[in-house]
Amino acid sequence: MKCLDTFLLIVTLAIGATAEASVRTCEPIKVAMCKNIGYNQTGMPNLARHTLQVEADVTLQTYSPLVQYGCSSQLHLFLCSVYVPMCTDKVALPIGPCRGLCESVYERCYPVLRGFGFPWPSELDCSLFPAENNHEHMCMEGPGERVPPIGTIPLDTATTNGRGACRRLVKPNSWVWVRGSGRCAQFCDAEVLWEAGERKAAEVWLATWAALSFACTLAAVGAQLACGDRGGAGERALVLVALCRCAAAAGWGVRAAAGRSAAGCAKDSMSPTRMLLAHDGLANPNCAVVFLLLYYFGLAASVWWVVAAGAWRASVLRPPASPVSARNDRHSSLLQLAAWGVPAALAAAVLVTRDVDADELTGTCFVGNQSSKSLLALVIIPEAICLLLGSVFLASGLRAILQRSPPVPAPAALLNAPPQPHTDQSLLRLGTFAALYAVPSTCILITWIYEYTWRDDWLAAPVPSTEPSTQPRPAFWVFLFRIFATQILGVMVAVWIATPRLKAFWKRISGPRKPTLAKCPTGPAPAPLTLQCYAAHSHSLPRHPHKYSTYRPPQHQSYRKPRHYHYSAGETIL
């Protein structure tokens, strides 16, 4: 009897093994979503108890929006390993995902499903899968999460999984994928890099310095117009620098008057009730006006500073006998075209490419606030070129001054000529100011390079790890210093222009100054001396023509009584 039972058990196990082998027959993958996944053979039933690939294909189609969203770079492999598992003739059971792969996908994609109101599917429960891949339980561990740097997949570049780019950013719930522009846009009130207190402090700081710069530059330009003194080419260029800085300060004023939301935010085209930080300058007129005033006139001021440095160099290298402004006036048309045309061309290019965007800290529209490529190409490179050209002009002029031979003594005929120190003093003032102007400009350029270098690290989402890590944040004082340096340029040029002209204007309206009386010596005042001449007395003899002749013989020489001069002090002096 026992032998019969043993025989029946062996037959039953053999039949079961044969049935299992027949069920697990490997077949080519027919599901389009899982082709070219890394393996090409599968077997049914799968881990979700589907017996046909058609059933698995229908279920996988329901996950297509989640795959396109890009919450996890391993989601595609995970789903295929569950619904279309790998099959090989050497292993009887299907090879599905490991528990680590499931947990990695769950950590990144479950918040997305929960946000849309969907639960995590029961057949994807991570406890159902092997803990590790070994000889007892084979499974697929996956290549790991691939989080490419922000510079590799730009925010403003549309990709097949564009929404996934937003999930790779810090605080992903503060971003939304804008299909029309093909980029991730930040919510207007979201605090991603800056807190509310920092925004408020930056806005007060900006308004204060912008008002001071606008008032100073406006006063300087008004003093120049009142005096009516054009000066040389360098001085005229600096007046235009002041005018450009005044217009740029007016741009900050427009931003302060309109407010953060009206000037730096725009409505989402997909949801009109949702406000996003401006990423398209043409969508908000206030944003476009602020950008034009800041970018165009700011870059024009840099170009005019280069013109002023070049004019100073030409004045230093020019022989004394040549006209002061002949060469500059000859090329004035080209200088005007370069100073106004180049910034206009760059501003037009920014508007055409729709690269105008607002920054989170102040809500001010500029270029490159959200795009690193635009920051490099349209801000850093033009400013660096202007700074380099101006520095070359200044260095060349300074070298010519240091190598200049001492002046030859003037001949005696020119010693009585009036001195002319005005030209040398003007050149000295112009060169000194052009050199001082380069210092804040260099600092501003360094802050732009700092932002361009570290922005990707600030915005990249932290990689999940067992060890706690600190998310890098931008230095608040660097951005405050940029605001200060930008506005102090206008104050500097205003002080340089207004100081001598206001002094001359004050002399003109106050009239000639009265002569200063000499101070009397201390002590008792002496009695005034009154000179009295008694040249004509009533007893004087009449003049005779022969009596006062030039030559007289000694015996006929007569003696004439000298005249007496009496002073009121009682003394008589002969």
Side-chain angles (χ1 to χ4, degrees):
M1 192 69 181
K2 292 182 178 179
C3 294
L4 181 61
D5 294 339
T6 304
F7 176 75
L8 292 176
L9 179 61
I10 294 173
V11 171
T12 304
L13 292 176
I15 295 174
T18 305
E20 182 70 15
S22 62
V23 172
R24 298 298 177 188
T25 302
C26 297
E27 58 185 19
I29 296 177
K30 300 178 182 179
V31 179
M33 183 177 176
C34 295
K35 289 183 178 181
N36 301 323
I37 196 65
Y39 56 91
N40 54 10
Q41 295 288 326
T42 186
M44 293 292 163
N46 57 16
L47 300 181
R49 304 304 182 201
H50 295 145
T51 58
L52 299 175
Q53 292 193 42
V54 177
E55 299 177 0
D57 191 7
V58 173
T59 304
L60 284 174
Q61 293 299 325
T62 60
Y63 293 101
S64 295
L66 189 63
V67 173
Q68 294 179 1
Y69 191 88
C71 56
S72 173
S73 60
Q74 300 186 111
L75 176 62
H76 194 184
L77 174 63
F78 172 67
L79 293 175
C80 289
S81 64
V82 173
Y83 293 98
V84 188
M86 184 174 64
C87 180
T88 177
D89 296 337
K90 298 180 180 180
V91 180
L93 299 177
I95 302 176
C98 295
R99 188 176 301 173
L101 175 60
C102 177
E103 291 176 350
S104 177
V105 175
Y106 176 83
E107 181 181 0
R108 293 179 176 272
C109 295
Y110 176 64
V112 179
L113 287 177
R114 184 178 58 185
F116 287 100
F118 295 100
W120 188 256
S122 59
E123 62 267 19
L124 301 181
D125 188 0
C126 296
S127 62
L128 301 176
F129 308 115
E132 59 181 3
N133 182 28
N134 51 37
H135 64 283
E136 296 180 358
H137 303 283
M138 297 187 63
C139 60
M140 289 182 284
E141 296 179 347
E145 289 292 340
R146 296 186 302 271
V147 183
I150 305 301
T152 306
I153 302 181
L155 302 182
D156 52 347
T157 302
T159 59
T160 55
N161 56 345
R163 294 182 179 87
C166 301
R167 307 305 305 178
R168 301 184 184 101
L169 300 176
V170 62
K171 298 182 179 180
N173 295 330
S174 301
W175 303 81
V176 63
W177 175 259
V178 181
R179 185 179 302 176
S181 60
R183 65 168 61 182
C184 295
Q186 179 182 337
F187 292 113
C188 186
D189 296 331
E191 299 178 2
V192 177
L193 297 179
W194 309 105
E195 298 177 356
E198 293 173 334
R199 292 180 181 180
K200 186 63 177 179
E203 187 167 358
V204 174
W205 180 264
L206 173 61
T208 302
W209 284 105
L212 179 61
S213 176
F214 179 78
C216 292
T217 51
L218 186 62
V221 175
Q224 171 69 16
L225 296 177
C227 293
D229 182 16
R230 295 185 59 189
E235 295 182 357
R236 295 196 300 268
L238 288 183
V239 173
L240 293 175
V241 171
L243 183 61
C244 293
R245 288 297 172 186
C246 182
W252 297 110
V254 172
R255 152 64 187 89
R260 177 186 176 87
S261 299
C265 299
K267 294 182 179 180
D268 186 7
S269 58
M270 302 299 296
S271 178
T273 59
R274 185 170 55 187
M275 297 295 294
L276 303 177
L277 200 64
H279 56 276
D280 183 0
L282 300 182
N284 188 345
N286 296 329
C287 181
V289 171
V290 172
F291 158 75
L292 287 175
L293 291 175
L294 294 181
Y295 183 74
Y296 174 73
F297 287 103
L299 188 56
S302 300
V303 178
W304 277 116
W305 171 74
V306 175
V307 174
W312 176 77
R313 174 185 176 274
S315 300
V316 170
L317 299 179
R318 184 182 302 112
S322 62
V324 176
S325 59
R327 187 174 181 180
N328 292 329
D329 293 340
R330 192 182 311 131
H331 300 287
S332 60
S333 300
L334 296 177
L335 296 178
Q336 294 281 345
L337 179 61
W340 300 116
V342 173
L346 292 178
V350 173
L351 292 177
V352 169
T353 56
R354 297 177 178 268
D355 280 339
V356 179
D357 46 23
D359 69 322
E360 179 190 349
L361 182 60
T362 61
T364 304
C365 288
F366 202 64
V367 56
N369 289 320
Q370 302 176 21
S371 175
S372 298
K373 295 189 302 183
S374 301
L375 178 63
L376 176 62
L378 299 172
V379 178
I380 295 179
I381 292 180
E383 292 292 344
I385 292 176
C386 292
L387 184 61
L388 179 62
L389 290 177
S391 302
V392 169
F393 289 151
L394 293 176
S396 177
L398 180 60
R399 180 182 179 184
I401 292 177
L402 296 177
Q403 294 180 351
R404 181 179 297 175
S405 58
V408 180
L414 299 178
L415 291 178
N416 296 328
Q420 297 179 357
H422 177 70
T423 303
D424 295 338
Q425 292 182 1
S426 299
L427 288 179
L428 180 61
R429 291 182 65 252
L430 180 60
T432 303
F433 173 77
L436 292 177
Y437 191 92
V439 176
S441 301
T442 305
C443 296
I444 295 172
L445 181 61
I446 292 175
T447 60
W448 288 123
I449 297 176
Y450 166 77
E451 181 177 358
Y452 172 77
T453 304
W454 296 99
R455 176 187 287 173
D456 295 343
D457 295 336
W458 299 336
L459 295 178
V463 179
S465 60
T466 57
E467 298 180 359
S469 59
T470 304
Q471 177 69 16
R473 296 185 70 254
F476 182 55
W477 67 268
V478 173
F479 291 83
L480 291 184
F481 179 76
R482 179 196 295 172
I483 296 173
F484 166 76
T486 303
Q487 304 305 323
I488 204 64
L489 289 175
V491 177
M492 288 175 56
V493 68
V495 170
W496 186 89
I497 293 175
T499 300
R501 284 161 176 77
L502 287 177
K503 184 177 180 181
F505 181 70
W506 174 255
K507 289 182 178 180
R508 182 179 300 179
I509 63 175
S510 61
R513 187 178 295 180
K514 296 181 180 180
T516 305
L517 299 177
K519 294 183 179 180
C520 298
T522 58
L529 299 178
T530 304
L531 179 63
Q532 297 179 0
C533 180
Y534 299 94
H537 296 279
S538 57
H539 58 274
S540 300
L541 298 177
R543 294 178 60 89
H544 195 275
H546 299 288
K547 185 176 181 180
Y548 301 99
S549 59
T550 306
Y551 173 77
R552 297 186 184 87
Q555 62 275 15
H556 297 289
Q557 184 175 3
S558 62
Y559 172 77
R560 183 181 179 186
K561 185 178 180 180
R563 299 178 180 177
H564 294 76
Y565 296 90
H566 298 276
Y567 292 87
S568 60
E571 297 180 354
T572 301
I573 300 177
L574 298 180

